[in-house]
Amino acid sequence: MSLSIPAPTRGAPRSRLPQVGTTIFTVMSALAQSCGAINLGQGFPDFEPDAALLDAVTRALHGGHNQYPPMAGVAALREALSDKIDSLHGRRYDPADEITITAGATQALLTAILAVVHPGDEVIVLTPAYDSYLPAIELAGGIARCVPLDADFGPDFAAIAAALGPRTRAMLVNSPHNPSGRVWSAQDMHRLGQLLAATDVVLISDEVYEHMVYDGARHASAAAEPLLAGRSLVVSSFGKTYHATGWKVGMVAAPRELSAEFRKVHQFNVFTVNTPMQWALAAYLREHPEAHLDLPRFYEAKRDRFRAGLASTRLRLLPCEGTYFQCVDYSAVSDLPEAEFCSWLTREVGVAAIPLTAFEPQPRLTRRSARFCFAKRDETLDAALERLQRL
Ligand code: PMP
Ligand code: GLN
C-alpha cells in the first residue's frame, strides 16, 4: 500500500519569531566574504587552537570515544571543570549533578530560559544584549523587560530595582560584556545579589568571556558571590577560551535543583554533546591549566596592538576592559546610522564591523558606534589598521 502525500499547506507556517531575520553575524560575515573585506565583524579567531588540543581530539577519536556520552557530559570533563571553578572562584559544584556540558553557550542559554521561564513570566535583560537572549525568551513565552545599561555600559541598579516585580522570573547578566567589553566588579555582583536577595528570581549569568579580562582585573563570577551562586545558572563556552568557536561545546554550572530542571530540557533538545571533543577538552584542561591562565596576557597584547593602531585614526576608542571586542565611536568620520556605516565600511574600506544596534530592540538612534573583533593574527589586525588609517 502506498502512502498518500498530504495536500500542501498554504503559505509559510505562522512564525514563532515574526520579528527575527538572519543574525547580524551571519549577514556581516557573508558580506565580508563577498567583498573580500577583512572580517573583524563576527567574533571568532582567525588562528588555530593549540596543537596539543587538536592532538587530544585525535587521541579521543582513535581511543574509542565515539558513542553517546552520559547525558550530562563526560564525567572527566565535569570533574575537571568542578576543580577549575573551585580554584578560581572558591565554590565547588558537584560534577555529578551540578555541572552539565552543552552544545555551546547558545544552547545553554536557550535551555536555561526554557527550563525556568513560564509563559507570561518577565525576564530582565540589560541592553545592549547578546542577540540570542530576546528570541529565546520569546520562544519560552516570556516577556523581556529591557533595562538599558548606563552610558558606560555598566549596570544601572536603580533601573534594575525599578524593573523587578512580582512577575520577574529570571534575569540575564553578561560580564565580560559583548559588545561593550565592560567588566562587572565583585562589588557590582554583590550589589546585584543584594537587590535579588528578597526575590526568587533566577540569574542566568553568561560568562563566556570569563578568561578575557585585562589590566590585572579579575573576572567576578556569579559563582563567587554568595548572594547569587544559589540562584544562578553560570554559562560558559570552550569555544572562546580554546580558540575553537566551531566546536560548539559549553557548560552550565548551577545548584542541584536548578541543574535538575535544566537537564530535563537539555535531554530533549540535544540529549548529549559530541563525545570526542569532551574527552579532548577534559585531557587538555588537566594537562594544560596554563592555557586559560595565559589567556588575559595573550588577548591583552592584541587589544593593545589594535588600540595603538586605532589611536591614530579618526575613530574614537571606547574602553575595553574585557572580551575580544573593541568598540569605537565613528562620529568624526560619518553621520550614517550604525548598520549603514558598518555595511559601507565593509564594502568601501574593506573592514567588516558589527553595528551596536544589532544588540538592542530599540536602538539608540543618535549613537554612532561599531564593534571590531581583535581575536585575529597580528598580520590581520595590521592590515585592517592600514585600511582604517585612510578614513
Ligand atoms: N554569549 C555571548 C555573550 C556570546 O558572545 C556568544 C558567542 N560569541 C555566545 C553566548 C554563544 O557562544 P557559543 O558559540 O558557545 O554558542
Ligand atoms: N558571539 C559572536 C559575536 O558576538 C558570534 C556568534 C554567532 O555568530 N552567533 O560575534
Side-chain angles (χ1 to χ4, degrees), residues 22-25 129-136 178 358-359:
T22 305
T23 82
I24 187 71
F25 309 113
Y130 187 58
D131 71 338
S132 81
Y133 299 174
L134 297 185
N178 180 7
F359 298 82

Side-chain angles (χ1 to χ4, degrees), residues 23 25 41-43 130 178 209 240 325 371:
T23 82
F25 309 113
Q42 189 178 24
Y130 187 58
N178 180 7
Y209 301 104
K240 314 289 169 191
F325 301 118
R371 187 200 83 176

Side-chain angles (χ1 to χ4, degrees), residues 37-47 214 297-313 315 317 323-326 349-352 371-390:
I38 299 170
N39 191 358
L40 304 191
Q42 189 178 24
F44 64 90
D46 72 344
F47 43 87
Y214 312 128
R297 185 198 46 77
F298 174 78
Y299 273 123
E300 190 172 314
K302 293 204 177 290
R303 179 201 66 169
D304 291 348
R305 184 184 193 96
F306 192 49
R307 283 178 71 88
L310 285 174
S312 58
T313 70
L315 300 168
L317 286 161
T323 74
Y324 49 42
F325 301 118
Q326 172 65 57
V349 184
V351 181
R371 187 200 83 176
F372 293 113
C373 172
F374 58 78
K376 306 292 167 188
R377 286 172 288 135
D378 289 349
E379 307 89 90
T380 309
L381 293 176
D382 293 347
L385 285 166
E386 198 186 308
R387 295 181 185 190
L388 295 172
Q389 308 286 349
R390 298 185 213 135

Side-chain angles (χ1 to χ4, degrees), residues 170-253:
M171 175 170 177
L172 279 146
V173 159
N174 170 217
S175 172
H177 181 244
N178 180 7
S180 72
R182 174 72 190 247
V183 174
W184 285 38
S185 64
Q187 207 183 356
D188 289 331
M189 281 293 184
H190 186 64
R191 276 191 77 183
L192 182 65
Q194 288 172 320
L195 262 190
L196 299 185
T199 73
D200 56 9
V201 169
V202 171
L203 183 69
I204 300 172
S205 187
D206 179 348
E207 305 185 8
V208 300
Y209 301 104
E210 60 180 320
H211 298 298
M212 297 169 207
V213 174
Y214 312 128
D215 305 316
R218 272 178 62 87
H219 168 59
S221 173
E225 170 49 56
L227 290 174
L228 291 176
R231 65 171 73 238
S232 297
L233 292 135
V234 177
V235 174
S236 193
S237 172
F238 298 95
K240 314 289 169 191
T241 305
Y242 299 115
H243 316 308
T245 59
W247 290 11
K248 301 300 296 184
V249 186
M251 68 109 220
V252 171

Side-chain angles (χ1 to χ4, degrees), residues 324-375:
Y324 49 42
F325 301 118
Q326 172 65 57
C327 291
V328 295
D329 175 307
Y330 62 80
S331 50
V333 173
S334 167
D335 205 23
L336 285 172
E338 292 176 355
E340 284 85 338
F341 175 77
C342 289
S343 171
W344 172 84
L345 193 72
T346 309
R347 288 175 206 280
E348 304 300 328
V349 184
V351 181
I354 300 289
L356 262 55
T357 41
F359 298 82
E360 287 165 323
Q362 263 129 27
R364 299 173 211 193
L365 295 173
T366 51
R367 191 188 50 209
R368 295 285 177 264
S369 294
R371 187 200 83 176
F372 293 113
C373 172
F374 58 78

